[in-house]
Amino acid sequence: MSELSDIRREYSLGEMHSENVPDDPMELFNCWLEVVKDSEIKDPTAMSLATVDDNGQPFQRIVLLKRFGDDGFVFFTNLESRKAQHIAINSQVSLLFPWHTLEKQVAITGVAEPLSKTEVLKYFMSRPKDSQIAAWVSKQSSPISARKALETKFSEMKAKFAKGDVPLPKFWGGYIVKPTSIEFWQGGENRLHDRFIYEKSAGEQWARSRLAP
């Protein structure tokens, strides 16, 4: 077994102070995301989505955030995928934005709800045509014999949709994760990290607390 205990570094890029932390977590999330977008981090909207299957086994994968606001966080996917099957059984999910280069993390818990066909179609039509075609090609999460099978199918579908718009597949859609908690983590020196968590009450109001690192 490889020994990894000596791999460590100090975190010293920033601090969080109660008087500077807004009451609205979406305001803080937007501020942090703008900082990330202005940095050299690739895929600033990449987030880890965690779901649980019917045996209680957690799964994680990276998806891309496509919209956010007071109503929640939006991503799109194949509705026959493993993640979609999990959400159909248990709609409680978590999201994690791992902005380690900036010594920041945002962890979110919430409930995933299907998006309307209108919003799904609007986003689908905004995608590059090859991405639209790719949505038709992959039966996500199912076994395949080889990559060549995907490439052949892609070529076939590209020829089929060479003229005109690519229709929205019935099995393609998206979700909005409506948050119940949002935690902001800022790395600190000597492992004295700053953590603030916002939790939503039954009255849809946010309550903010500082957590021990």
Side-chain angles (χ1 to χ4, degrees), residues 112-132:
E113 297 183 1
L115 294 172
S116 69
K117 283 295 183 183
T118 299
E119 182 164 1
V120 171
L121 178 60
K122 180 180 178 180
Y123 173 70
F124 185 80
M125 297 307 295
S126 74
R127 303 179 87 201
K129 191 167 185 177
D130 281 356
S131 295
Q132 295 175 352

Side-chain angles (χ1 to χ4, degrees), residues 18-39:
S18 297
E19 61 270 21
N20 297 326
V21 176
D23 294 330
D24 183 355
M26 290 304 185
E27 179 182 340
L28 183 54
F29 180 83
N30 183 64
C31 179
W32 278 25
L33 183 58
E34 288 301 313
V35 171
V36 174
K37 287 163 58 179
D38 290 340
S39 72

Side-chain angles (χ1 to χ4, degrees), residues 72-96:
F73 301 82
V74 169
F75 68 94
F76 295 87
T77 188
N78 186 310
L79 299 179
E80 296 175 351
S81 64
R82 184 165 59 188
K83 69 178 81 65
Q85 293 173 19
H86 293 175
I87 290 171
I89 297 168
N90 183 351
S91 60
Q92 293 180 298
V93 303
S94 67
L95 305 172
L96 176 69

Side-chain angles (χ1 to χ4, degrees), residues 187-201:
E189 292 183 349
N190 302 311
R191 296 301 187 265
L192 298 180
H193 313 304
D194 288 310
R195 295 171 61 193
F196 282 87
I197 188 168
Y198 295 78
E199 296 176 288
K200 185 169 283 189
S201 67

